[in-house]
Amino acid sequence: AQSVTQLGSHVSVSEGALVLLRCNYSSSVPPYLFWYVQYPNQGLQLLLKYTSAATLVKGINGFEAEFKKSETSFHLTKPSAHMSDAAEYFCAVRMNYGGSQGNLIFGKGTKLSVKP
Amino acid sequence: KAGVTQTPRYLIKTRGQQVTLSCSPISGHRSVSWYQQTPGQGLQFLFEYFSETQRNKGNFPGRFSGRQFSNSRSEMNVSTLELGDSALYLCASSYRTSGLSIETQYFGPGTRLLVL
């Protein structure tokens, strides 16, 4: 069965510092990969998705993620954290069953805190 | 284009009651998926509807059901509510083609259900 592991339920960085949120997936076939962000009392907003066109994916708000097949990882990074980045981040995978796409499987989430 | 809307946003029920939640997808989107989010279990897939048919179902008891109407709007119903059903229920819509393009699920703000 597919699964997603997000290392670190809480990550704290200083404003202006590098943000690195880790995500590893388990699958024999590279799945579709997504990062979502959730602000308090809101739904999920898509940050970026892996489409297999390029291993380095750029998303909104300055975030990017690199797909590494050999490491089965899809870590999320941002060069310089901003106070507004404080939120919970979810990595998700979605399988492609020969053209029929399965449901999203989410990691447990990582809460990002940004210190002034 | 309007986003995914969910009603009501907040709901308080007592054990044993039943509840119906509503989701209106983005215009033109034909697939609606439902997820349950709790602090303990995280985000879990409930079911997906496409063209008024349930296409996929998560591992939830039969008390959880749903349906989709011809205009793609969807409802989910939970009967005989239990305390553990307290959660944020998120609805997501996508266009859903039969091709190989990676479809993005767009989430609504959720309905927060509290069972007393």
Side-chain angles (χ1 to χ4, degrees), chain B residues 15-74:
Chain B
R15 278 182 299 174
Q17 287 187 310
Q18 67 95 25
V19 67
T20 299
L21 311 181
S22 180
C23 171
S24 293
I26 292 171
S27 177
H29 284 191
R30 299 184 297 168
S31 172
V32 173
S33 297
W34 289 88
Y35 294 83
Q36 182 196 62
Q37 185 178 23
T38 60
Q41 299 299 317
L43 280 153
Q44 293 184 288
F45 170 73
L46 280 157
F47 26 65
E48 180 195 7
Y49 286 87
F50 175 71
S51 292
E52 303 178 63
T53 302
Q54 188 179 89
R55 298 292 175 146
N56 199 3
K57 189 178 191 304
N59 188 26
F60 278 82
R63 299 186 297 107
F64 291 82
S65 63
R67 59 177 175 168
Q68 186 180 34
F69 303 94
S70 58
N71 62 358
S72 295
R73 190 177 71 84
S74 176

Side-chain angles (χ1 to χ4, degrees), chain A residues 75-91:
Chain A
H75 301 331
L76 182 71
T77 60
K78 182 174 180 178
S80 177
H82 191 272
M83 297 296 291
S84 60
D85 294 327
E88 189 159 19
Y89 293 79
F90 293 91
C91 180

Side-chain angles (χ1 to χ4, degrees), chain A residues 36 38 49 94 101 103-104, chain B residues 37 56 101 103-105:
Chain A
Y36 284 88
Q38 186 176 35
K49 64 182 180 183
R94 192 175 194 188
Q101 296 179 31
N103 53 280
L104 285 168
Chain B
Q37 185 178 23
N56 199 3
S101 62
E103 294 179 20
T104 299
Q105 291 192 339

